[in-house]
Structures are given as C-alpha cells and as structure tokens.
Amino acid sequence: MKKALWVIITVTAVLCSCRDSRTAADQRQGDTLRLKYAEKLTIVKHEGFTEVLLADPWNTGKTLHRYILINDNDNENDDQHLTPNTQHPNSGTIIRVPLKRSVIATSVQCGLIEHLGKREAIAGVCDLQYINLPWVQEECRKGRIADCGSGLQPTIEKIIDLRPDALFLSPFQNSGGYGKLETLQVPIIEMADYMESSALGRAEWMKFYGMLFGKEKEADSLFAAVEKNYMSLRDKVSSFKSQVAGKHRPSPKILMDKQTGSVWYVPGGRSTIGRLIADAGADYPWQGDDHSGSLPLSFESVLEKGGPCDIWLFRYNSPHAITAKELLSEKPAYNQFKAFQKGEIYGCNTATSTFYEDTPFRPDLLLRDFITICYPELGLGGSTYFVKVKNQR
C-alpha cells in the first residue's frame, strides 16, 4: 500500500504539466493508433496506459496538450508500469478512465456521448439554453444534471460541488487559459476537434472521446458507419457531375452565413465547412484560403466575392423561422446578392434543430443536406437542417 501511494504521488508530481511544447517526435516506444483523417490528434498505446497528444492548431510543431489515460480499474498496471522512469518522457495530464462524472461546456459533445450510450456520465453542462436535446433539458429539470451557467463564465462553486472527474472545454487562440477552472485540480479536456481541416477529421476525434468514456469499440463502429455513408454520398455526387451535371451547368457556388453586428464570419477554406462544400460538389468563394477557423470580414468584402453565388446558406438562432422580409430588415443590402434575388436562400435555425448536437460527429448528415440543395436531381429527399427561406417581402 505504501509503495502504491508513493508511486501515485511521484507520478502525479511528474505529470503535473497541462501543456507541453514538445512535438510528437518526443514519443517513446508504443503502438501508434492509425488515424485516417484527424491531423491534430495522435494516440499512442503503451503497456498500462495510453498517451494522447493534441497538436496546437495555432502553433505548428507545438503540442497543445498531452494526456495519459489510465484504466481506473487496473490498479496492478498502475503500480507496475507508471514509474517515474517510464513516465518522465511522457509528462502530461493524468486522466483515469472511464470517466463517470464530467462537466461538458458545449452541446457538441452531449450528442456524441448519447450516441456512445454514456448519458449517465454527464454530471453538469454549460449554456443549457443552447442544448437542443430533450433528455438533457429533462435531466436538468430533475436535478440529475447540473446547469453550470455560461460556458465563458461557468459557476465555479457549482462545479466544485459536483466533484467532476473531467471538464470538457473549447480552447481558443490567445484566450489566456481557463482562469479559476485551472485551479480546481480537475483534468481539463481541450476539445480542439473543431480546428480540424476536414469533416471526417473532426468526426474521427470520437475515437479519443470513446476512450475517455470506456466506449472505444462503440466509437470505432460509429465512425466506420459515418465514414462509409460520407464517402458514398461524396462519390455519388462526383459521379453525377462527371456524367450529367458537368455537361449542362457549372458547379453551384455557395455563400455561407450572414452578418453579425459589423462583421460577417465566413468559414475558412480549410475549415470543416469549407472542405465539406467541396465534397458536396460545389464551389466556395474562399476555397483557396488556408484558414481552418472563421474569417471576420466586412460586408463589402463578402459582397465582392460572394455576390455572384447561386445559393446562400446561413445559420441563425430564433424562436421562429426567419423570412426574406426579416433578412432585409436586418440588412437591406442583402438584396444585392444573386442568391437573394433568385430566392435560393436556406436557413438553419439552431434554436429548433439539433445542428450543433449532430453534425460535428455526423458530417454525413450535413453533406447530405448540401448535396440535396445543390443537386435536387439526385433525389435524396428533403434537407434536414437547412430549410428554404419563405419569400415574404
């Protein structure tokens, strides 16, 4: 017992660093899990533990976070393999898996955790008003899941009372860290999946999340199904374009989102949305851009490049479906866009749909929407998330 306690204390002291500037080249012996699409995730399985490295999306060659996953039920392996000598080159944040009581700061992971069959592992959530999952809302009403307030400023006291085994938070460039949350001595899972440059790359992160919740096999099976469906849809539209559509008309051009305040945020060319538009057989004004995040642009610059677009897709949050008249009341200059003039406007109301809960890890569903709107000739049925805006002027 004394020996085990000494090992745990020593290893904890060595692995106290939450961030590490070393690259994946510093890894020691272990079996690296082959990932087909994820570029910012590396998983190395060692005897007795699993090492997970998150690449820093904003600093090439740097590591955002290094995790050491230890099976909480495998005490023998803890004592035998987690020694100072073996762990020193693999310093990182220790996470004992499977997780049983986590706080989730975004709606995105809630949907995935449900698909993995681990609802009971969610102890608290942030930004409850934006989570469109009835079971989460119901569990919060019953007090089974705690409402921890805003994701930007969560209620620290409530999180302390929950005694969670992990906090799931989204990292941002130059954010300055996570404030008081970093003092709670609770592992912080940095959800950098949204910075992947492909939709399947982001979805592949479900393998990491599956490991955290003891659902590795389920996550592997789910991803295999998503990948198969995604590739089938992509190949279908590609074949259709080469045989029919390409001979009669050029690829449709898509404009994304709308102005917020004085800024119009458009997806970067290497963002998951930007790449997904390409897989849907459509053109995108910023497809040559190399950013994987959003681009803050002025209305004038968007009009210059996006004005000739055939189709306008945007996301919004409202208790009712938006109309063309309402769009013009927000910004009369919207009528300068070709898509607006043609009535080819499609809105996704994130207040009433499960867009954010579904599509990050089910990009095949979003790809189907894009293809349905761009190529109705394929007969895929109606779109799920983006609905045509009524022309009530």
Side-chain angles (χ1 to χ4, degrees):
M1 180 67 182
K2 290 183 178 179
K3 177 183 176 182
L5 180 61
W6 177 86
V7 170
I8 293 175
I9 292 174
T10 305
V11 172
T12 302
V14 173
L15 306 187
C16 62
S17 173
C18 287
R19 290 186 174 85
D20 195 296
S21 61
R22 294 173 298 169
T23 67
D26 293 320
Q27 300 166 23
R28 296 308 186 261
Q29 294 180 351
D31 295 325
T32 300
L33 185 67
R34 180 177 176 270
L35 299 175
K36 297 175 66 174
Y37 306 97
E39 300 173 349
K40 297 173 175 60
L41 179 67
T42 302
I43 301 174
V44 184
K45 291 192 173 185
H46 300 266
E47 187 176 1
F49 65 95
T50 298
E51 179 185 18
V52 181
L53 297 98
L54 312 187
D56 190 328
W58 304 284
N59 296 286
T60 304
K62 302 286 186 177
T63 298
L64 177 69
H65 213 131
R66 178 181 269 107
Y67 297 100
I68 305 298
L69 276 52
I70 305 170
N71 191 321
D72 200 29
N73 300 318
D74 195 355
N75 295 323
E76 180 180 352
N77 278 346
D78 285 1
D79 292 353
Q80 182 177 355
H81 299 293
L82 296 182
T83 65
N85 288 335
T86 59
Q87 288 299 291
H88 185 271
N90 302 101
S91 60
T93 299
I94 293 180
I95 303 177
R96 297 194 173 276
V97 297
L99 298 173
K100 301 177 178 66
R101 293 182 55 78
S102 296
V103 172
I104 314 296
T106 72
S107 62
V108 173
Q109 272 66 28
C110 290
L112 175 61
I113 292 171
E114 178 184 16
H115 288 307
L116 294 178
K118 291 293 290 185
R119 287 184 178 185
E120 72 279 3
I122 301 179
V125 296
C126 295
D127 295 323
L128 176 62
Q129 68 272 30
Y130 299 117
I131 301 178
N132 296 330
L133 295 172
W135 66 268
V136 173
Q137 298 287 339
E138 180 63 21
E139 292 292 87
C140 283
R141 281 193 292 269
K142 292 179 178 178
R144 219 291 299 168
I145 295 178
D147 179 359
C148 297
S150 166
L152 296 177
Q153 292 183 321
T155 307
I156 301 296
E157 294 76 12
K158 187 166 289 188
I159 292 178
I160 293 174
D161 291 340
L162 289 175
R163 300 180 65 184
D165 47 18
L167 305 175
F168 284 73
L169 305 173
S170 294
F172 297 99
Q173 186 177 21
N174 302 321
S175 66
Y178 302 104
K180 292 183 179 180
L181 292 176
E182 293 183 326
T183 68
L184 300 183
Q185 296 184 343
V186 176
I188 292 177
I189 311 297
E190 298 199 85
M191 302 179 295
D193 51 85
Y194 76 96
M195 289 299 293
E196 285 288 344
S197 61
S198 71
L200 286 176
R202 182 178 191 181
E204 198 167 23
W205 276 58
M206 70 172 69
K207 296 181 178 181
F208 170 41
Y209 298 129
M211 290 178 177
L212 291 174
F213 290 98
K215 291 290 184 176
E216 183 176 354
K217 291 182 179 179
E218 289 82 353
D220 289 345
S221 296
L222 177 59
F223 179 75
V226 170
E227 179 191 23
K228 180 179 179 180
N229 196 31
Y230 188 100
M231 300 304 287
S232 175
L233 287 166
R234 192 191 71 170
D235 293 345
K236 188 171 186 177
V237 74
S238 177
S239 176
F240 176 75
K241 285 185 62 179
S242 62
Q243 295 177 13
V244 181
K247 301 176 182 179
H248 301 288
R249 59 180 171 86
S251 299
K253 297 179 180 179
I254 289 180
L255 173 67
M256 283 300 303
D257 294 322
K258 62 188 184 76
Q259 186 165 320
T260 303
S262 60
V263 179
W264 190 319
Y265 292 95
V266 302
R270 286 185 56 80
S271 67
T272 55
I273 292 292
R275 297 281 289 273
L276 203 148
I277 290 173
D279 286 343
D283 291 335
Y284 181 55
W286 292 272
Q287 61 189 13
D289 172 78
D290 60 359
H291 289 85
S292 55
S294 296
L295 303 175
L297 302 175
S298 66
F299 179 86
E300 292 73 21
S301 61
V302 174
L303 179 61
E304 181 181 359
K305 296 190 72 171
C309 285
D310 307 291
I311 298 169
W312 180 14
L313 306 175
F314 63 88
R315 292 163 285 187
Y316 67 101
N317 187 284
S318 172
H320 65 272
I322 198 169
T323 66
K325 183 178 180 179
E326 287 178 277
L327 282 173
L328 287 181
S329 68
E330 291 181 11
K331 188 80 175 180
Y334 282 149
N335 64 8
Q336 299 180 51
F337 288 92
K338 176 183 176 181
F340 187 93
Q341 295 167 4
K342 293 174 56 182
E344 287 298 308
I345 319 168
Y346 299 81
C348 171
N349 190 349
T350 59
T352 57
S353 74
T354 53
F355 176 88
Y356 288 120
E357 290 80 7
D358 297 341
T359 60
F361 297 105
R362 289 299 309 273
D364 54 317
L365 300 179
L366 184 55
L367 180 63
R368 181 186 175 278
D369 256 30
F370 283 6
I371 294 175
T372 295
I373 293 170
C374 291
Y375 299 98
E377 308 97 311
L378 286 174
L380 297 180
S383 54
T384 301
Y385 305 103
F386 287 89
V387 180
K388 197 164 189 177
V389 174
K390 292 183 178 180
N391 189 22
Q392 297 177 357
R393 300 191 189 182

